[in-house]
Amino acid sequence: MPWDARPGRSANGAPEGAGSARLRVQKQCRKSSFAFYQAVRDLLPVWLLEDMRASEAFHWDERGRATAYSPSEALLYALVHDHQAYAHYLLATFPRRALAPPSAGFRCCNAPGPHIALAVRYNRVGILRRILRTVRDFPLEERMRLLDRRGCSRVEGGGTSLHVACELARPECLFLLLGHGASPGLRDGGGFTPLELLLRQLGRDASSVPTAAEAASATVNAATSSTTPPGELCQRRLLLLDLLALYTTGGAAGPARRELLGDRLRWQRLLGEDKFQWLAGLAPPSLFVRAMQVLVTTISPGRFPEALDELPLPPFLQPLDLTGKT
């Protein structure tokens, strides 16, 4: 126990009751907890943060006790504030403890550790890459449990980290997850796979989405312009679709397929004929897509993404920065 919660003496010398002693400890706990949060937010040196975490910073846990921050909880703060040095230290020093579920005050359900999904949500590509490098050494079952973690149905819709990447248009995160073996066929609480969720979003944005040809032209123009091109979010979603196609054997199914076939002209203009035919189940993927599927599946998670340098990548993959460096 970091502080003595036993009744003592008040400021005027009178005996302190048990309730007052508890309130005193809670107040001290809140102060130290906020101090640690601020220290991570301000990107203070790793040695100082670890000294605070191990001996000074405490939070009030679900059992009503002042408890030191675990490596898992410290990593959550590092993710939120993009403290890459601290995240790398925690993952290197406490690989399993850093990715273990945090205490109840840091989560809403009993799902496995939320760190991968949080890295995707905050677009922390560098830390996500380090997390994925860490889990390479975990047994397959443990690694897949983290990669395919389903979020809370009330807060995260029961989706995986791939669903989060599609929802928030994070192509770099999606590519890293797929390359490390995340399963693209899992469904969220609404019954959608990541591919079907993405098509649903594209359908909603159809009025502002450029056609495939316009998207390609805008990408070229963006390379020579400092301004954000119109429809950038939709272009990123189309890029997500291309990435999912590399790791998905079948096209859309159920309502998503019916949506494609129900408005063929609009989707053909948006996706291009070859991609539409494949997604709607009217034709196999193009020879190019099949060739790329074979290429990416030859890369083991242990060599991803470094081995990408050895592949003849198509233009839509080359702009992706998988390093997370700013």
Side-chain angles (χ1 to χ4, degrees):
M1 189 75 169
W3 299 294
D4 191 355
R6 292 174 298 180
R9 295 279 177 177
S10 64
N12 59 11
E16 184 182 43
S20 297
R22 184 179 178 84
L23 288 175
R24 171 172 52 81
V25 171
Q26 287 179 325
K27 185 176 181 180
Q28 290 174 312
C29 190
R30 284 195 296 270
K31 285 183 177 179
S32 77
S33 178
F34 186 61
F36 181 62
Y37 176 88
Q38 284 184 310
V40 179
R41 181 198 65 189
D42 294 341
L43 307 182
L44 296 186
V46 170
W47 67 266
L48 178 59
L49 295 174
E50 272 300 274
D51 188 57
M52 291 180 67
R53 186 185 71 80
S55 60
E56 298 178 21
F58 300 89
H59 66 90
W60 203 251
D61 71 7
E62 65 273 16
R63 294 166 294 181
R65 302 189 307 179
T67 306
Y69 281 88
S70 69
S72 171
E73 292 148 4
L75 180 58
L76 292 177
Y77 281 177
L79 276 164
V80 170
H81 297 299
D82 200 20
H83 198 321
Q84 297 199 30
Y86 193 32
H88 293 181
Y89 169 83
L90 291 166
L91 289 163
T93 310
F94 315 101
R96 280 188 166 77
R97 292 174 60 197
L99 295 172
S103 60
F106 289 82
R107 54 189 169 91
C108 58
C109 61
N110 292 322
H115 305 86
I116 292 178
L118 193 68
V120 176
R121 187 165 296 279
Y122 282 88
N123 204 27
R124 306 305 191 208
V125 177
I127 299 178
L128 175 62
R129 183 170 177 177
R130 182 56 64 102
I131 291 174
L132 296 174
R133 186 179 301 169
T134 299
V135 303
R136 290 174 184 175
D137 299 326
F138 290 11
L140 178 61
E141 182 178 352
E142 185 179 0
R143 183 169 72 246
M144 295 310 300
R145 185 166 63 249
L146 290 170
L147 286 171
D148 291 340
R149 168 192 177 272
R150 294 180 183 275
C152 173
S153 58
R154 293 171 297 173
V155 178
E156 301 172 275
T160 67
S161 297
L162 290 179
H163 287 93
V164 177
C166 289
E167 176 189 356
L168 300 178
R170 308 273 195 247
E172 295 85 1
C173 294
L174 182 85
F175 199 19
L176 283 169
L177 290 168
L178 290 169
H180 282 85
S183 305
L186 298 180
R187 298 184 180 276
D188 63 11
F192 296 98
T193 65
L195 175 64
E196 292 165 354
L197 176 66
L198 190 57
L199 287 172
R200 190 185 190 198
Q201 291 175 319
L202 283 169
R204 287 175 177 174
D205 297 343
S207 59
S208 60
V209 175
T211 64
E214 291 168 343
S217 175
T219 301
V220 173
N221 293 336
T224 58
S225 173
S226 59
T227 60
T228 301
E232 180 181 350
L233 176 61
C234 298
Q235 294 170 38
R236 291 177 71 84
R237 286 178 174 163
L238 290 171
L239 174 55
L240 288 163
L241 196 60
D242 287 334
L243 293 170
L244 279 171
L246 300 180
Y247 294 87
T248 305
T249 56
R257 183 172 185 270
R258 290 194 292 272
E259 166 69 17
L260 290 172
L261 295 174
D263 197 348
R264 295 174 65 122
L265 183 60
R266 177 169 65 98
W267 284 105
Q268 285 170 329
R269 291 184 65 251
L270 173 63
L271 303 174
E273 184 63 26
D274 288 346
K275 197 180 303 179
F276 169 80
Q277 290 282 334
W278 172 68
L279 288 170
L282 303 177
S286 66
L287 289 175
F288 170 76
V289 170
R290 280 187 280 178
M292 288 303 302
Q293 287 174 338
V294 171
L295 281 174
V296 296
T297 54
T298 63
I299 303 176
S300 68
R303 299 179 63 240
F304 192 93
E306 294 82 5
L308 290 174
D309 295 334
E310 304 169 10
L311 298 179
L313 292 178
F316 72 84
L317 294 181
Q318 291 172 0
L320 290 181
D321 179 10
L322 301 181
T323 65
K325 297 178 181 177
T326 57

